[in-house]
Amino acid sequence: MSLHPLRTRRLPRRIVVLVATFVLTGLFITQTTREKRIDLANSALRVPLDKLCRNRINGPTGNWLYDSNLEEKRLTKEDFESGMYKAGSRDTWVFNEEDEDVHWIGDDTDMVLEFEKSANLIDVNKLLSGNLTGRFRDNLRPELRYITGWNDGGFTNQFMGVANLIFLSLLTPTHIPIIPPLVARPHMPVRAGYRAFSDVFDLERLARSMNKEMVEWKDVKDLRGLKGSKMYDGSMKADEQDEIGCWSVWMTAKRDATKPYQGTFLPDHLNLDISYTPMPVQARLFPDSNSPDQHASFYGLARLAQATPSNRNPISSDPLRPTVPNPHNHNVHLPDTHLTCFDFLYFVSASLVGFEWEQEYSSAWNFVGKYARWNDRIRSLARETLSLTLGLVRRDIMLPVRGDSDWRDDRDGRKFHAHDLRALDERDRILTPFVTIHVRHGDFLSNCEERKQDGRLCSPPLSTFEALVEEIEDELLERGRVLPHMGKLPVIVTSDETDEAWWTEVQRYGWHRVKFPEYLALPPGVKGREEEGLSEETHRKLWDRLLIEVAIQGYGTGFIGTEGSTMSLVAQRRVEHWQKGTARIVRFSIFDNWD
């Protein structure tokens, strides 16, 4: 009997390969899932703050400008393996592997990631010295640079000027914009006073959406007017007077101008004695032509903001034009290089088109204006007014915010967070569709008597608006924004028309006039433009009623406006961007024949 060596039975090669492949694949999937979770966790640090990681402005050369001072906080594998990332105050987010989404949820028993809140972008302790006095220089930090400018016109024109200022500050990322207040003119008596921008808009949400630090003049200078100093029109001014040199956009952009812009009330309110230097012609939108266009270039103004004491004209080698002395003390100051300022920021464009706000690619709107949401107080007032006007419960109009009577912390507090910008946008979406109409008459009827003599109407008839309402309903139905069972949409009309016979005709169409809460009712006979004899309470009501109507215009799912009215223009943008709605503009001009 022969003995054979012991043979070890070997597995088939194919099985070995399959087993090895299975093991390696499992390890790869585990590692990939871990890395995916880390990426998702890091997305939570960026989303909804995706626009806060950098300042991205498409310049004339197509370059992107980045703020190199911003750092992106990322979780490491060690952070993730430990189960939670904690630092300071915490937000709670959850990720969903199925749709690879990260969203804020409040307390939750599922896997959560906690991370440090992003910095407050309206941090006056960081951006200012903390010495709030009657003189603004006491409060500016020497290592920082600032930028500001003045506005004029109605509420919407002033809003556009502020948006232009903030967009300009995006082009000069080393400058902190100082936001001016809003003036009660010309649709209200000037004695109705001033409102800080943050009294109307959610400034922190705006800053967070753009990743741009900013402050307001009320943060920089004591504007309470404790000494009781008054302007020539009787409205309040700051106690202490400051002198400063600013650039005059107006004296160069408007070719026949011989003085700085005179229409704004803001320098007097802020008690600033300003000497103006005309900006170089190279900062005009069309510097080398004889065009009558009076727009300045955003990029030209951004270059002027780079002026230093040793280089006063960074845009040209030409000498600066003579400076206009300040009106009170008659002193001459060259444009300040610590706080760059401009006399009028309404006519500014980033493209080779004047009045760029009328274009869908408007830089100031798309990078700034569309992020300027109403603050919670104005939103709540508008929501309450819409409820009264349409006869609906408030929750059928729009979801509540903290402080509303129907807010529930255990329900609504879990859904929305100040840092979850996309969730806040959805919270502000109108739940019951309606159409808003803005009919501007007022100064647009200046040639009314002449038209009557020719047997023509002074303004487009309401039947014109009725046809456009039907167009909007059809388009919204086609787009799926409304459903067939909803039928005819409610229509709300806003107008500066004071003729009650005209409003009676509006009611015959079945349309709604804004119904304000009882506590905002005006005294008998008050129309809103009286200069004398109105109480402080009436002035406050006039402000609130104006802001409510403007807010309602932009909350519509459909909108019909008046050509040439900036109030209609911005309301159209809000409807299209905020509500994903549709709009029409009625041709109506005080200069040309519109019929």
Side-chain angles (χ1 to χ4, degrees):
M1 179 177 178
S2 62
L3 298 177
H4 297 280
L6 180 64
R7 295 182 179 179
T8 303
R9 193 172 182 181
R10 302 171 63 185
L11 292 173
R13 182 180 183 85
R14 181 181 302 175
I15 295 176
V16 173
V17 171
L18 288 175
V19 171
T21 302
F22 178 81
V23 172
L24 292 174
T25 301
L27 292 174
F28 175 77
I29 292 175
T30 301
Q31 179 67 18
T32 302
T33 302
R34 180 182 294 109
E35 291 176 353
K36 179 194 293 186
R37 291 183 176 184
I38 294 172
D39 288 340
L40 286 169
N42 283 309
S43 296
L45 298 179
R46 297 190 301 272
V47 179
L49 309 181
D50 54 339
K51 293 183 178 63
L52 305 191
C53 295
R54 58 190 65 85
N55 287 331
R56 302 183 299 176
I57 306 299
N58 197 355
T61 61
N63 296 326
W64 294 88
L65 306 179
Y66 291 85
D67 188 344
S68 58
N69 296 322
L70 295 172
E71 296 182 359
E72 192 173 292
K73 182 75 175 178
R74 294 190 61 84
L75 291 177
T76 65
K77 291 183 179 181
E78 290 74 21
D79 291 325
F80 183 81
E81 295 293 351
S82 67
M84 285 187 179
Y85 172 74
K86 301 178 181 180
S89 56
R90 301 175 300 178
D91 291 340
T92 304
W93 299 71
V94 65
F95 81 85
N96 184 328
E97 288 189 352
E98 294 181 359
D99 56 13
E100 299 187 359
D101 187 29
V102 184
H103 59 281
W104 185 84
I105 57 162
D107 296 331
D108 197 280
T109 57
D110 296 334
M111 193 199 76
V112 297
L113 302 170
E114 302 191 52
F115 58 93
E116 185 176 7
K117 290 181 180 178
S118 56
N120 189 331
L121 295 171
I122 315 291
D123 188 352
V124 296
N125 295 321
K126 171 187 174 184
L127 303 176
L128 299 170
S129 69
N131 189 23
L132 183 64
T133 71
R135 299 192 180 277
F136 74 85
R137 293 192 190 278
D138 294 341
N139 211 3
L140 301 185
R141 298 182 72 92
E143 73 276 14
L144 299 179
R145 302 181 76 180
Y146 304 85
I147 190 168
T148 195
W150 322 128
N151 312 306
D152 190 29
F155 171 80
T156 301
N157 286 23
Q158 294 179 57
F159 165 77
M160 295 163 70
V162 171
N164 286 345
L165 166 64
I166 298 175
F167 177 73
L168 178 58
S169 76
L170 292 178
L171 300 177
T172 59
T174 57
H175 289 65
I176 307 299
I178 303 179
I179 311 301
L182 302 166
V183 186
R185 68 178 301 265
H187 307 300
M188 291 183 290
V190 176
R191 285 179 175 80
Y194 299 78
R195 293 291 182 273
F197 197 77
S198 59
D199 289 341
V200 179
F201 297 98
D202 189 338
L203 193 59
E204 175 62 36
R205 183 174 171 184
L206 169 63
R208 195 175 297 281
S209 298
M210 301 164 48
N211 191 33
K212 182 65 181 181
E213 294 175 312
M214 57 188 72
V215 293
E216 298 181 86
W217 267 102
K218 70 178 181 65
D219 304 319
V220 176
K221 182 172 181 173
D222 191 338
L223 303 179
R224 292 176 295 173
L226 299 179
K227 294 181 180 179
S229 301
K230 300 290 183 181
M231 294 164 53
Y232 65 88
D233 62 358
S235 58
M236 180 272 297
K237 67 166 26 177
D239 292 336
E240 305 296 337
Q241 186 177 85
D242 291 297
E243 294 191 21
I244 189 173
C246 297
W247 293 104
S248 174
V249 178
W250 185 254
M251 290 183 69
T252 303
K254 188 171 174 59
R255 292 180 180 273
D256 59 349
T258 59
K259 297 180 179 180
Y261 189 79
Q262 303 289 306
T264 179
F265 286 62
L266 287 171
D268 280 345
H269 169 58
L270 302 173
N271 207 349
L272 301 177
D273 196 16
I274 306 175
S275 52
Y276 286 103
T277 301
M279 72 175 186
V281 68
Q282 289 82 1
R284 294 183 77 247
L285 185 60
F286 302 106
D288 301 322
S289 73
N290 294 320
S291 169
D293 185 276
Q294 57 191 31
H295 283 76
S297 163
F298 273 116
Y299 302 101
L301 299 185
R303 292 175 66 187
L304 288 181
Q306 307 308 313
T308 64
S310 61
N311 182 15
R312 294 287 182 175
N313 184 2
I315 199 173
S316 167
S317 59
D318 297 338
L320 294 175
R321 291 165 58 187
T323 299
V324 178
N326 53 30
H328 296 288
N329 297 319
H330 308 291
N331 294 322
V332 171
H333 299 279
L334 291 175
D336 203 277
T337 57
H338 191 197
L339 170 55
T340 303
C341 47
F342 302 93
D343 65 342
F344 194 43
L345 287 177
Y346 181 71
F347 294 109
V348 193
S349 178
S351 64
L352 295 180
V353 176
F355 205 67
E356 191 182 64
W357 274 82
E358 291 183 337
Q359 310 302 321
E360 289 195 8
Y361 55 77
S362 165
S363 301
W365 168 258
N366 286 295
F367 286 95
V368 181
K370 73 178 183 181
Y371 299 117
R373 300 286 189 141
W374 308 107
N375 67 18
D376 284 357
R377 179 178 179 274
I378 301 303
R379 182 189 188 275
S380 296
L381 287 173
R383 184 171 177 258
E384 179 182 3
T385 303
L386 281 170
S387 174
L388 293 171
T389 302
L390 299 178
L392 298 171
V393 298
R394 297 179 196 181
R395 198 168 183 88
D396 287 344
I397 299 290
M398 194 163 36
L399 295 177
V401 295
R402 192 179 302 275
D404 287 342
S405 59
D406 56 335
W407 168 274
R408 280 177 42 188
D409 200 60
D410 62 334
R411 175 192 61 196
D412 305 305
R414 292 169 58 87
K415 295 180 181 178
F416 309 110
H417 187 270
H419 294 189
D420 193 345
L421 300 176
R422 288 189 291 185
L424 295 182
D425 291 347
E426 286 302 314
R427 181 202 66 182
D428 293 343
R429 194 69 58 84
I430 290 294
L431 302 178
T432 299
F434 60 90
V435 176
T436 54
I437 297 176
H438 174 232
V439 182
R440 178 162 175 178
H441 284 170
D443 57 336
F444 275 33
L445 302 182
S446 59
N447 59 354
C448 184
E449 293 303 320
E450 179 182 340
R451 292 181 64 85
K452 284 181 178 179
Q453 292 175 5
D454 296 337
R456 295 183 293 173
L457 295 172
C458 292
S459 61
L462 291 177
S463 58
T464 300
F465 293 88
E466 181 185 35
L468 293 178
V469 169
E470 294 178 358
E471 274 189 29
I472 285 176
E473 289 175 333
D474 291 343
E475 181 176 329
L476 292 174
L477 185 62
E478 182 179 348
R479 290 174 50 199
R481 289 290 289 113
V482 300
L483 301 176
H485 73 270
M486 294 180 177
K488 303 288 288 183
L489 297 182
V491 177
I492 301 175
V493 178
T494 62
S495 177
D496 56 355
E497 179 59 67
T498 59
D499 184 0
E500 289 299 324
W502 184 85
W503 282 106
T504 299
E505 185 180 359
V506 167
Q507 292 177 332
R508 282 200 292 266
Y509 278 85
W511 298 342
H512 301 273
R513 187 177 185 176
V514 174
K515 184 177 181 180
F516 294 100
E518 187 62 33
Y519 57 82
L520 290 180
L522 297 175
V526 172
K527 299 296 184 181
R529 298 197 181 191
E530 294 82 357
E531 292 294 329
E532 303 288 346
L534 299 183
S535 67
E536 183 177 342
E537 180 184 6
T538 299
H539 285 154
R540 178 184 58 78
K541 291 179 178 180
L542 289 172
W543 263 111
D544 285 346
R545 290 166 68 100
L546 167 69
L547 298 172
I548 288 169
E549 286 206 345
V550 176
I552 286 175
Q553 291 167 4
Y555 279 138
T557 314
F559 174 74
I560 303 170
T562 303
E563 183 185 53
S565 167
T566 54
M567 182 176 284
S568 286
L569 171 63
V570 175
Q572 174 186 356
R573 295 279 180 262
R574 289 177 176 136
V575 166
E576 292 171 340
H577 286 257
W578 293 358
Q579 305 301 328
K580 308 302 181 188
T582 189
R584 299 287 188 275
I585 297 296
V586 173
R587 186 170 185 271
F588 179 31
S589 173
I590 60 175
F591 306 108
D592 305 314
N593 291 329
W594 46 267
D595 52 355

